[in-house]
Amino acid sequence: MRVLVTGGAGYIGSVTTAQLLAAGFEVEILDDLSSGHRAALPPAALFHTGSLLEPATLDRVFARRFDAVVHFAAHSLVGESMTDPLKYYHNNVTGTLALIDRVAAGGADRFVFSSSAAVYGEPEISPVTEQAAVVPINPYGRTKLVMEWALADTARSAGFAAVALRYFNAAGAVGDLGEDHTPETHLIPRLLRSLLDPELTFAVFGDDYPTPDGTCIRDYIHVQDLAEAHLAALLWADAPGLTAINLGSGHGHSVSEVIAAATAATGRDIAPTTVPRRSGDPARLVASNELALQLLRWRPQRDLAEILRDAWRWHRRHPHGHS
Ligand SMILES: NC(=O)c1ccc[n+]([C@@H]2O[C@H](COP(=O)([O-])OP(=O)(O)OC[C@H]3O[C@@H](n4cnc5c(N)ncnc54)[C@H](O)[C@@H]3O)[C@@H](O)[C@H]2O)c1
């Protein structure tokens, strides 16, 4: 199978590319390096530098057809999406529409899309199933939902198979591929980096949530498990139209539990300060992963301790990230 991976120089895209190559797929990457890293590009994949927003780049990439497209490329900072929403609509929506257009015109048979738990907003029921109402509460989440709709309508009419994988919290590392965002907004890398760089602070946002220890509960999924789910989705996708599938562990961990797991993995004492809640942080966000098990025969294999162990190993080896 020949697969185009957009955003393959990014965190989840690079790990998934490595997984696809290991499984014997031929992989090409399209990335503009806006948040990705040249050092994360697996050498065995053909690299096209450029943006989804450039028609000439897409002409070049789609000069040959693909069996499948796996679409990671996006901006994904929730806070920035609130202060600069058009940047998100422009890159995420316009860029994705251009890609869907190429696939609909015969550029590929299958389309796997990186969606997000952000499409659910603040769900009232936990664990969250795919039937839960989709009510995103920020522009980032809304761009993901709009792209799901565009993909669903086009996949049905043009007759290609599409899967929207709604990730919960990706974390962990695989070999030399790890999490390196600027700014870093995710809990685990922020926590681990603060242990390596005394100038970085780490704070807990709120300890008065209606959870057993008062801190927010999230569903952390090892990036290698995510990569394996993409492989399963590529092999499964067949019927025209879009299927949306949650990717999570099915278990929630509070911020305090993550800190305890980080203490165990690093052997360091961690004494964070607590600051007020951030707006828009639901108390609990945990996936039901029953549909992924049923359709993809996929179940995560790695737990929170393994996530912290692998992430810590990567951050110690790469204290300045990929640069
Ligand atoms: N990290 C998470 O926990 C998480 C959770 C839910 C969903 N997601 C989604 O998964 C995807 C990957 O996330 P990530 O954490 O690996 O992000 P990332 O920023 O590390 O990777 C995104 C990649 O896309 C590239 N890119 C962005 N816009 C582009 C464009 N117009 N043309 C070409 N390349 C472009 C960037 O350079 C980067 O390499 C994103 O779509 C994100 O919204 C991530």
Side-chain angles (χ1 to χ4, degrees):
M1 228 194 230
R2 235 160 58 79
V3 182
L4 174 66
V5 175
T6 75
Y11 170 46
I12 307 170
S14 61
V15 174
T16 303
T17 297
Q19 172 75 27
L20 295 176
L21 290 167
F25 290 64
E26 187 187 337
V27 183
E28 298 187 21
I29 290 174
L30 169 61
D31 200 299
D32 65 1
L33 299 177
S34 53
S35 60
H37 307 274
R38 204 170 272 281
L41 288 166
L46 178 67
F47 178 45
H48 303 275
T49 322
S51 171
L52 290 166
L53 296 167
E54 301 157 354
T57 298
L58 290 180
D59 286 346
R60 189 161 38 93
V61 171
F62 282 95
R64 291 201 294 159
R65 69 184 308 282
F66 296 90
D67 296 296
V69 169
V70 186
H71 178 37
F72 295 97
H75 293 327
S76 51
L77 298 170
V78 170
E80 186 185 53
S81 81
M82 308 220 271
T83 55
D84 194 356
L86 270 187
K87 176 177 176 181
Y88 280 69
Y89 282 97
H90 188 53
N91 194 51
N92 295 4
V93 178
T94 310
T96 301
L97 292 181
L99 183 64
I100 295 174
D101 196 30
R102 301 293 170 136
V103 172
D109 302 322
R110 297 161 191 212
F111 195 121
V112 176
F113 169 58
S114 297
S115 190
S116 167
V119 299
Y120 296 115
E122 297 178 307
E124 280 166 14
I125 297 169
S126 181
V128 185
T129 69
E130 292 79 357
Q131 276 72 51
V134 280
V135 196
I137 56 166
N138 50 58
Y140 165 68
R142 283 191 272 275
T143 65
K144 290 286 176 188
L145 186 55
V146 169
M147 293 185 277
E148 284 197 12
W149 287 339
L151 203 44
D153 289 336
T154 316
R156 202 179 308 115
S157 71
F160 63 88
V163 183
L165 297 174
R166 294 175 175 165
Y167 316 154
F168 282 61
N169 292 64
V174 182
D176 276 326
L177 301 173
E179 191 166 8
D180 181 8
H181 299 115
T182 305
E184 187 54 81
T185 57
H186 294 152
L187 173 71
I188 291 174
R190 281 184 63 90
L191 169 51
L192 297 179
R193 282 167 60 171
S194 75
L195 299 178
L196 294 167
D197 182 348
E199 289 191 1
L200 295 176
T201 54
F202 171 71
V204 175
F205 293 103
D207 60 0
D208 55 352
Y209 284 92
T211 59
D213 64 29
T215 61
C216 282
I217 293 177
R218 293 289 177 273
D219 185 335
Y220 296 91
I221 169 119
H222 197 294
V223 66
Q224 178 65 29
D225 282 319
L226 278 186
E228 289 168 8
H230 286 76
L231 180 58
L234 273 181
L235 297 173
W236 172 79
D238 190 23
L242 177 88
T243 308
I245 303 176
N246 288 343
L247 293 183
S249 73
H251 300 289
H253 293 284
S254 70
V255 174
S256 296
E257 287 170 348
V258 172
I259 293 170
T263 304
T266 63
R268 307 277 185 100
D269 286 332
I270 303 169
T273 49
T274 300
V275 296
R277 297 178 181 195
R278 288 184 300 201
S279 67
D281 266 345
R284 181 187 294 268
L285 205 46
V286 178
S288 160
N289 59 15
E290 292 300 311
L291 190 64
L293 178 60
Q294 188 192 321
L295 299 181
L296 308 182
R297 304 267 169 252
W298 170 90
R299 184 198 287 282
Q301 303 296 316
R302 298 154 187 92
D303 64 9
L304 185 65
E306 203 163 343
I307 287 174
L308 265 308
R309 194 197 61 201
D310 293 348
W312 179 236
R313 191 190 298 130
W314 189 81
H315 282 285
R316 266 191 311 170
R317 240 194 260 151
H318 302 269
H320 306 292
H322 279 295
S323 53

